[in-house]
């Protein structure tokens, strides 16, 4: 059986996902696309045999030829499309963020809970990265004891002009926030944001880098150094310190070269290069689960929790003090996710 997917928003990541859905993965085809920029949608569809172009996301969701929906439009538009997908009873894969505010995420959670089944998956692809999975297996396996601290770094070489200072937290650090919750099967209890010396490369009004401290309910503390002007490449780091040892992400999967008293390897250019395999595994897992009548991957609850932690982080950045995270009660639907 081939799963017919409709894609809403065919910008950078929408086109990258269409490439993998069309040329890399199996059991799926892109049957429909749409974008507020209809010319862009038509151009993209021209390379997709048999794909229709819809004037709006709502039309695409209502199309009986679309079995499942991929939302890759701008974050503030996600809520409406995810709610429409739920109302149509279709499985929805939504790129992060699930929605940009706690209230919007909560409305999605309520709508999904009302259907009694999971229809929403959120694109936190690091959960599918080989290195993060190997790290989680060590942490969960307990072979080096109980986890105490995690050190993480999220360094972007640069960011486009539309990137605002808030996005260091709710666009970049959001991935580390999801990793922390997933790595330790735990919720975030409080967030503190420290502002080190500002990089001379930072744009006007940006605190860059940031040091984001996540206190987990278990007492584990995760420190995330987040920077969007690292210049030299896309550098993602992680180390978990346990009672009897440490586990860290290995360097990039590329070759290590030794010569003339030095050694080194390649630093990925961007998130597409670093996480290309994670995106492939994430989507194939979702496609297989949807074809079998279910879903897979981070839930609407995970999307809600990440957005709440980001909002708390932005509050902590503004206040300069530790801010507790306050979340609604987790509905039963998500108790096993
Ligand atoms: N998982 C990741 O690591 C990752 C990486 C990049 C982007 N993203 C997320 O993917 C989403 C898109 O990011 P992008 O970098 O591709 O942005 P982009 O600006 O390149 O593309 C977004 C597209 O959505 C279209 N669009 C905007 N509003 C729309 C609407 N109401 N209906 C239909 N189409 C609409 C735009 O015209 C554009 O073509 C964002 O939520 C972003 O956070 C996730």
């Amino acid at each position: 059986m081939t799963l017919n997917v409709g894609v809403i928003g065919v910008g950078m990541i929408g086109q990258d996902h269409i490439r993998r859905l069309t040329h890399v993965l199996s059991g799926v085809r892109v049957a429909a696309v749409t974008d507020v920029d209809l010319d862009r949608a038509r151009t993209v569809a021209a390379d997709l045999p048999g794909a229709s172009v819809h004037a709006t996301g709502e039309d695409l969701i209502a199309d009986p030829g679309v079995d499942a929906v991929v939302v890759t439009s701008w974050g503030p538009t996600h809520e409406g499309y995810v709610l429409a997908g739920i109302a149509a009873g279709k499985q929805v894969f939504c790129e992060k963020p699930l929605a940009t505010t706690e209230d919007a995420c909560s409305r999605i959670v309520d709508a999904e809970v009302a259907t009694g089944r999971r229809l929403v998956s959120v694109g936190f692809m690091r959960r599918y990265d080989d290195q993060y999975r190997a790290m989680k297996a060590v942490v969960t396996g307990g072979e080096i004891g109980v986890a105490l601290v995690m050190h993480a770094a999220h360094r972007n070489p640069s960011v486009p002009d539309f990137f605002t200072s808030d996005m260091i937290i709710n666009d970049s650090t959001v991935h580390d926030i999801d990793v922390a919750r997933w790595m330790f099967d735990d919720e975030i209890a409080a967030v503190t944001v420290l502002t080190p010396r500002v990089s001379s490369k930072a744009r006007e009004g940006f605190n860059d880098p940031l040091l984001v401290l996540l206190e987990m309910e278990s007492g584990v503390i995760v420190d995330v150094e987040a920077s969007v002007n690292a210049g030299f490449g896309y550098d993602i780091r992680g180390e978990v310190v346990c009672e009897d040892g440490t586990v860290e992400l290995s360097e990039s999967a590329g070759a290590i070269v030794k010569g003339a008293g030095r050694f080194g390897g390649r630093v990925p250019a961007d998130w597409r290069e670093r996480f290309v395999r994670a995106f492939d595994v994430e989507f194939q897992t979702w496609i297989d689960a949807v074809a079998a009548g279910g879903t897979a991957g981070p839930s609407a609850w995970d999307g809600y929790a990440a957005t709440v932690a980001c909002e708390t982080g932005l509050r902590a950045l503004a206040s300069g003090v530790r801010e507790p995270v306050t979340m609604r009660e987790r509905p039963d639907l998500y108790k096993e996710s």
Side-chain angles (χ1 to χ4, degrees), residues 203-222:
R203 211 182 295 155
E204 180 76 27
F206 275 51
N207 280 113
D208 184 4
L210 293 177
L211 205 53
V212 182
L213 300 180
L214 309 173
E215 290 175 50
M216 310 305 292
E217 286 180 354
S218 62
V220 170
I221 291 186
V222 180

Side-chain angles (χ1 to χ4, degrees), residues 58 61-63 67 69 82-91 117 119:
E58 287 78 8
I61 291 165
D63 181 346
D67 303 322
V69 179
V82 175
L83 287 173
I86 293 171
K90 295 190 178 180
Q91 289 290 343
R117 66 189 181 116
L119 289 164

Side-chain angles (χ1 to χ4, degrees), residues 4-10 14 18 21 29-36 38 41-42 44-45 48 50-73 80-82 84-93 286:
N4 290 301
V5 163
V7 179
I8 301 175
V10 292
I18 287 171
L21 292 167
R29 68 179 276 268
V30 177
V33 296
T34 188
D35 197 292
V36 278
L38 263 181
R42 287 192 197 98
V44 169
L48 300 170
S52 49
V53 178
H54 288 285
T56 68
E58 287 78 8
D59 290 349
L60 178 144
I61 291 165
D63 181 346
V66 169
D67 303 322
V69 179
V70 170
V71 179
T72 45
S73 49
Y81 294 137
V82 175
I86 293 171
K90 295 190 178 180
Q91 289 290 343
V92 181
F93 175 96
W286 180 74

Side-chain angles (χ1 to χ4, degrees), residues 171-209:
D171 197 80
S172 293
T173 312
V174 65
H175 284 292
D176 303 275
I177 283 169
D178 181 66
V179 162
R181 296 182 59 254
W182 168 76
M183 184 66 65
F184 302 112
D185 292 316
D186 202 359
E187 293 295 0
I188 299 168
V191 185
T192 306
V193 180
L194 303 177
T195 52
R197 180 181 192 172
V198 176
S199 165
S200 64
K201 293 189 288 179
R203 211 182 295 155
E204 180 76 27
F206 275 51
N207 280 113
D208 184 4

